[in-house]
């Protein structure tokens, strides 16, 4: 009992593991307990927090510098800038680690005006505590250095060694619409997710604020909003207010126990092109759920169910060719599991992150509290098997 408790204390309840928790750390080492991944967690939290300073500034501006990628999905100057800032911090602390990140520098290489715009955002996005800013390695040296940094995220992934997965803005469509989005970072070791962090600038700070149909609709990115979710494998999940400098205090989060699945609130994508919204209606019907789904962009869905603000997250394939990307799920999967949930694909397999940049062997997502996951999965299978894609 003591070991997980102490580790949780060390990794989640400290704002600065290298200074203020010296006494806890000493106790841990005296008892020969390892405090695994506390530095990785600390740097990941700060890197995500700094990146949200940039994304918030773009969210609040009219010109979001949107481009269309080869798969026709959007990317903005916010995505490029956030990716550059996160990779710069990781390289400063963990130069040997590999990085799988969503965006690439190609479009900025071909457009110097856009490149300079992004570089301007990157130099402006600073944590309001100079020591902590320096701890992340300070700024990026110039626009060309920034392009190189963005392209450090081109690792092919796999099941060997330490690999970070970055989604600099998850839910770019939501970001453009004024809805929810998340800045997502996870560390995998030998294909297993060990650390996950989600920065959700448009979610309420309070874990107890219920989700409604309008959560995220016209989110205003107001002061006093925003939450950072985190988890370390085996050490539980936590949330804290998203700040601008020193990390705020964290507290543990848990899925809400669901005794009767018909009372559950389920979350799904806003975009019907990302998740089949007519299948979800059928599944809800089978489970006796009468509440309408809460539609929300990004991995904010994983964070929301992990803190008990919602109960289920269904992501139902819309076509048979789409393969999910590891950066869209790595952090959220760990946070939900560490909060007491179970996450599988629509066929009941655990999400497996060790196969490269995509989740090749998985189809969709079913995330639910452990005690009802089996029942939800059964309903998902019945509905999906009735009309194969
Ligand atoms: N056909 C599809 N099926 C499922 N997910 C898709 C998809 N096309 C794009 N996506 C992914 O859906 C993510 C957003 O998820 P959500 O709908 O839950 O907000 C996108 O992340 P980005 O916004 O980072 O590109 C993108 O990777
Ligand atoms: Mg994208
Ligand atoms: Mg994404
Ligand atoms: Mg993205």
């Amino acid at each position: 009992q003591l070991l997980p408790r102490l580790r949780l204390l060390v990794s989640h309840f400290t704002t600065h593991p290298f200074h203020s928790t010296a006494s806890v750390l000493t106790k841990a080492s005296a008892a020969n307990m390892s405090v695994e991944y506390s530095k990785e967690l600390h740097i990941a939290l700060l890197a995500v927090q700094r990146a949200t300073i940039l994304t918030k500034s773009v969210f609040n501006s009219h010109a979001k510098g949107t481009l269309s990628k080869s798969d026709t999905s959007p990317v903005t100057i916010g995505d490029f800038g956030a990716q550059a800032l996160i990779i710069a911090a990781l390289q400063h602390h963990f130069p040997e680690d590999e990085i799988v990140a969503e965006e690439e520098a190609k479009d900025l290489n071909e457009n110097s005006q856009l490149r300079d715009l992004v570089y301007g955002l990157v130099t402006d996005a600073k944590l309001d505590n100079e020591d902590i800013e320096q701890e992340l390695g300070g700024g990026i040296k110039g626009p060309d250095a920034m392009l190189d940094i963005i392209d450090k995220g081109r690792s092919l992934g796999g099941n060997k060694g330490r690999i970070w997965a970055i989604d600099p803005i998850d839910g770019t469509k939501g970001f453009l619409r004024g809805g929810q989005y998340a800045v997502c970072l996870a560390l995998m070791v030998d294909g297993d997710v060990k650390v996950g962090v989600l920065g959700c600038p448009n979610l309420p700070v309070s874990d107890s604020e219920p989700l409604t149909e309008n959560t995220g609709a016209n989110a205003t990115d107001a002061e006093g909003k925003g939450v950072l979710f985190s988890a370390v494998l085996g050490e539980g999940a936590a949330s804290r207010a998203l700040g601008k400098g020193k990390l705020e205090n964290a507290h543990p989060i848990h899925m809400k126990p669901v005794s009767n699945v018909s009372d559950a609130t389920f979350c799904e994508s806003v975009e019907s092109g990302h998740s089949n919204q007519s299948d979800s209606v059928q599944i809800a019907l089978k489970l006796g759920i009468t509440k309408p789904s809460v539609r929300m962009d990004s991995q904010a869905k994983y964070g929301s169910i992990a803190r008990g603000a919602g109960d289920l997250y269904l992501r139902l394939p819309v076509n048979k060719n789409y393969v999910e990307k590891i950066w869209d799920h790595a952090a959220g999967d760990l946070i939900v599991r560490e909060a007491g949930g179970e996450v599988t694909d629509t066929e009941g397999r655990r999400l497996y992150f060790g196969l490269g940049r995509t989740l090749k062997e998985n189809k969709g997502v079913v995330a639910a509290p452990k005690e009802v996951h089996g029942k939800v999965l059964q309903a998902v299978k019945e509905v999906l098997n009735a009309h194969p894609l």
Side-chain angles (χ1 to χ4, degrees):
Q1 278 297 318
L2 185 67
L3 177 66
R5 275 172 184 280
L6 192 60
R7 287 161 122 199
L8 188 80
L9 201 73
V10 172
S11 39
H12 294 312
F13 294 89
T14 59
T15 50
H16 201 306
F18 310 125
H19 300 151
S20 53
T21 61
S23 63
V24 182
L25 287 169
T26 314
K27 273 184 212 156
S29 43
N32 204 15
M33 293 169 181
S34 68
V35 183
E36 268 191 308
Y37 302 115
S38 64
K39 179 180 176 189
E40 285 82 354
L41 174 66
H42 180 70
I43 298 304
L45 286 163
L46 288 177
V48 167
Q49 189 162 273
R50 180 171 71 173
T52 64
I53 294 173
L54 184 151
T55 61
K56 280 157 149 268
S57 76
V58 178
F59 186 90
N60 288 326
S61 76
H62 289 295
K64 298 192 172 67
T66 311
L67 300 176
S68 182
K69 298 201 279 190
S70 53
D71 63 359
T72 73
S73 69
V75 58
T76 74
I77 49 176
D79 301 63
F80 293 120
Q83 179 162 322
L85 281 174
I86 294 172
I87 295 181
L90 294 180
Q91 282 207 300
H92 184 70
H93 286 276
F94 313 110
E96 305 296 316
D97 293 359
E98 285 194 40
I99 299 171
V100 170
E102 181 183 359
E103 310 304 344
E104 49 183 67
K106 188 172 157 285
D107 287 321
L108 300 184
N109 254 322
E110 293 162 358
N111 184 337
S112 60
Q113 213 184 339
L114 206 62
R115 179 198 65 189
D116 294 347
L117 201 58
V118 176
Y119 186 64
L121 288 170
V122 163
T123 50
D124 286 349
K126 291 208 170 9
L127 291 164
D128 68 7
N129 178 312
E130 184 53 30
D131 291 346
I132 299 181
E133 184 57 37
Q134 284 312 314
E135 196 186 338
L136 290 186
I140 293 174
K141 297 216 158 34
D144 288 325
M146 180 187 76
L147 297 185
D148 289 342
I149 287 172
I150 290 173
D151 273 344
K152 285 285 184 302
R154 297 176 71 175
S155 162
L156 296 178
N159 62 1
K160 299 270 182 310
R162 290 168 52 105
I163 305 176
W164 295 85
I166 304 174
D167 193 338
I169 293 182
D170 181 41
T172 303
K173 288 182 177 167
F175 180 76
L176 290 167
R177 224 192 297 105
Q180 291 296 333
Y181 69 95
V183 176
C184 316
L185 179 57
L187 172 66
M188 307 180 304
V189 180
D190 299 335
D192 216 13
V193 186
K194 303 288 189 183
V195 179
V197 172
L198 292 177
C200 301
N202 289 338
L203 279 183
V205 177
S206 164
D207 293 329
S208 53
E209 201 161 309
L211 291 186
T212 66
E213 245 321 74
N214 288 323
T215 307
N218 300 314
T220 50
D221 218 1
E223 289 300 319
K225 243 192 190 174
V227 58
L228 258 180
F229 296 106
S230 59
V232 174
L233 185 65
E235 299 182 11
S239 89
R240 46 158 62 76
L242 179 66
K244 292 181 188 154
K246 222 169 142 240
L247 295 174
E248 302 289 335
N249 288 329
H251 44 274
I253 54 171
H254 304 284
M255 305 279 287
K256 194 165 60 190
V258 175
S259 42
N260 197 342
V261 73
S262 62
D263 297 331
T265 299
F266 81 91
C267 310
E268 64 181 347
S269 287
V270 175
E271 296 293 330
S272 57
H274 296 174
S275 185
N276 191 317
Q277 297 173 348
S278 40
D279 284 346
S280 69
V281 170
Q282 298 306 313
I283 292 162
L285 211 61
K286 267 192 196 291
L287 293 169
I289 296 174
T290 50
K291 276 185 260 180
S293 68
V294 175
R295 291 186 178 156
M296 186 188 275
D297 301 284
S298 84
Q299 290 187 61
K301 293 186 279 295
Y302 282 113
S304 295
I305 66 167
R307 80 207 302 208
D311 302 301
L312 316 174
Y313 167 23
L314 300 180
R315 189 175 194 84
L316 308 167
V318 284
N319 70 61
K320 74 171 187 296
N321 299 323
Y322 186 77
V323 274
E324 297 285 345
K325 310 298 186 292
I326 61 170
W327 53 79
D328 281 329
H329 303 283
D333 171 76
L334 182 67
I335 289 167
V336 167
R337 287 186 295 113
E338 285 297 322
E342 191 165 337
V343 184
T344 67
D345 71 0
T346 53
E347 284 157 10
R349 287 183 294 240
R350 276 274 304 275
L351 304 187
Y352 183 53
F353 296 91
L355 293 174
R357 291 172 67 89
T358 64
L359 291 163
K360 280 196 238 324
E361 283 181 356
N362 296 114
K363 283 284 170 209
V365 177
V366 178
K370 273 201 183 94
E371 63 275 15
V372 295
H373 184 276
K375 201 166 177 184
V376 175
L377 180 65
Q378 184 57 34
V380 168
K381 283 181 174 169
E382 283 171 22
V383 169
L384 301 197
N385 290 340
H387 62 86
L389 290 171

